[in-house]
Amino acid sequence: MQSQKKHPQLFSFEFYPPKTEEGAVNLQQVHSKLAELNPDFFSVTFGAGGSTRDKTFDTVIDIQAKGIAAAPHLSCVASTKDNIRTILKNYQDNGIAKIVALRGDLPSGMLSAGEFRYANELVEFIRQETGDYFQIHVAAYPEVHPQSVNATDDFKNFKRKVDAGANAVITQYFYNAEAYFYFVDNCEKNGITIPIVPGIMPITQYAQLFRFSEMCGADIPRWMRKRLESFGDDRESVQAFGLDVVSHLCQRLLDGGAPGLHFYTMNQAAPTLAILENLKF
Ligand code: FAD
């Protein structure tokens, strides 16, 4: 039996489905360490184009069976309505009631032959097919989605997902708290009242973070970049600095009214646990 939650905020941890036997063993250990904190749910990513489809399903079922809710990510790009209908039915049949609904990004060189263009169409389809059964989370980009035409249109497109029936939002990670607060204010001005949970990326390595951030449009502020660069191969200093910066960011977000935190764990427990310890969770 899980202990009662000691804190009022929503918080959740994201995993990717393990690709190897060793990765699976690691994930079991990471899961059991993080489960002790009794999060609201664990989410599991999904490779666009279906590349990790079965692995996402297996991981989600395994997590749910251990007692804490699991939320599969579901991306619609390159999918047909029949594919998605089957996936939804499998989740429903297995008691999975939360979903993170996404468009996804096609692997380079892959052409979309799908029936969905954007995530709002997926949210609409899930509601049409399954009514209110699923609690649907969608993605948001306080620093603006990298492919968007402009920030105003990006916000309008984000609102389409909310209007289509999303229940909650998880943001792309960011290190500028103001971008989040501005986004939340804009939501309030536009009558969006569902929780906007900040996505948090712990910092453990510079090169990988830099690469990811370039791809997904997350800004690493100059002062952080300069510091991280100056540590070179000194991983301990990178991690100590990262822990300090991200703990302060989380505290600031919670103090400023964020309804909780969603951690991109990268299938590691220690960096997330260290931040939560600093936050006295
Ligand atoms: P959308 O909301 O569809 O937006 C994509 C782009 O299209 C934006 O630029 C938007 O402005 C524009 N747009 C949206 N709707 C319309 C419309 N109706 N008309 C015109 N333009 C429109 N990717 C994965 O492959 N697997 C995962 O598991 C995964 N998990 C993620 C979890 C989180 C919390 C986040 C923030 C991202 C995740 N991603 C994942 C990445 C995500 O798939 C990409 O960022 C993708 O490029 C956009 O997905 P979306 O659901 O936000 O798309």
Side-chain angles (χ1 to χ4, degrees), residues 45-46 73 102-105 118-119 141 145 154 157 161 264:
T45 64
F46 183 89
H73 294 206
L102 302 147
R103 183 196 71 177
D105 290 315
Y118 300 109
Y141 303 84
H145 186 266
D154 198 38
N157 292 331
K161 299 190 277 194
Y264 297 106

Side-chain angles (χ1 to χ4, degrees), residues 14 44-48 73 75 100-105 117-120 139-141 145 147-148 153-154 157 160-161 170-172 262 264:
E14 180 171 314
V44 183
T45 64
F46 183 89
H73 294 206
S75 57
V100 183
L102 302 147
R103 183 196 71 177
D105 290 315
R117 288 168 311 158
Y118 300 109
N120 66 295
Y141 303 84
H145 186 266
Q147 293 158 7
S148 65
D153 281 2
D154 198 38
N157 292 331
R160 292 177 204 266
K161 299 190 277 194
I170 301 173
T171 75
Q172 182 57 277
H262 175 83
Y264 297 106

Side-chain angles (χ1 to χ4, degrees), residues 5 72 74 80-81 131 140 157 160 165 169 179 192 195 218 221 225 241 245 258:
K5 252 173 82 165
L74 179 58
T80 63
K81 291 187 173 171
N157 292 331
R160 292 177 204 266
V169 179
I192 296 171
R225 213 165 5 99
F241 173 74
V245 167

Side-chain angles (χ1 to χ4, degrees), residues 15-279:
F15 296 144
Y16 56 83
K19 294 191 188 86
T20 60
E21 200 42 51
E22 200 188 348
V25 172
N26 170 63
L27 187 58
Q28 300 283 352
Q29 290 165 357
V30 171
H31 171 271
S32 54
K33 284 183 196 153
L34 295 176
E36 283 176 22
L37 295 170
N38 201 16
D40 293 283
F41 63 89
F42 289 101
S43 82
V44 183
T45 64
F46 183 89
S51 60
T52 62
R53 181 167 143 174
D54 294 343
K55 291 197 173 88
T56 299
F57 182 80
D58 295 345
T59 309
V60 159
I61 298 302
D62 188 46
I63 290 172
Q64 180 101 352
K66 290 185 174 130
I68 293 177
H73 294 206
L74 179 58
S75 57
C76 60
V77 69
S79 271
T80 63
K81 291 187 173 171
D82 273 350
N83 288 153
I84 299 287
R85 194 175 283 119
T86 306
I87 295 174
L88 294 174
K89 177 152 189 345
N90 283 342
Y91 284 134
Q92 270 193 294
D93 289 348
N94 284 278
I96 305 295
K98 293 178 194 287
I99 267 189
V100 183
L102 302 147
R103 183 196 71 177
D105 290 315
L106 278 179
S108 58
M110 186 170 168
L111 297 174
S112 169
E115 289 182 78
F116 299 89
R117 288 168 311 158
Y118 300 109
N120 66 295
E121 296 167 11
L122 175 63
V123 176
E124 219 169 273
F125 184 73
I126 297 173
R127 288 288 176 239
Q128 268 165 22
E129 292 286 312
T130 62
D132 287 337
Y133 175 79
F134 286 105
Q135 189 193 24
I136 305 177
H137 291 69
V138 291
Y141 303 84
E143 294 180 323
V144 183
H145 186 266
Q147 293 158 7
S148 65
V149 176
N150 61 53
T152 306
D153 281 2
D154 198 38
F155 189 81
K156 283 185 190 152
N157 292 331
F158 161 71
K159 190 171 182 300
R160 292 177 204 266
K161 299 190 277 194
V162 178
D163 294 343
N167 303 101
V169 179
I170 301 173
T171 75
Q172 182 57 277
Y173 69 87
F174 55 85
Y175 298 105
N176 296 297
E178 290 314 317
Y180 171 80
F181 291 125
Y182 185 85
F183 186 82
V184 170
D185 280 353
N186 209 10
C187 287
E188 279 167 14
K189 283 186 194 134
N190 284 277
I192 296 171
T193 55
I194 60 177
I196 317 277
V197 179
I200 304 297
M201 179 68 88
I203 298 175
T204 56
Q205 282 186 39
Y206 179 54
Q208 190 194 38
L209 178 73
F210 189 74
R211 224 180 24 251
F212 267 20
S213 305
E214 285 282 293
M215 277 187 316
C216 70
D219 182 45
I220 306 179
R222 177 185 159 87
W223 70 274
M224 282 179 61
R225 213 165 5 99
K226 289 286 175 195
R227 291 253 169 189
L228 288 163
E229 276 165 9
S230 75
F231 297 132
D233 292 335
D234 177 0
R235 258 185 100 166
E236 252 178 53
S237 296
V238 169
Q239 288 174 0
F241 173 74
L243 174 59
D244 196 35
V245 167
V246 179
S247 301
H248 276 99
L249 171 69
C250 292
Q251 192 63 62
R252 185 145 177 239
L253 293 169
L254 293 173
D255 290 347
L261 301 168
H262 175 83
F263 286 88
Y264 297 106
T265 70
M266 307 303 285
N267 291 10
Q268 295 177 52
T272 295
L273 285 171
I275 296 166
L276 289 172
E277 196 176 316
N278 281 348
L279 297 175

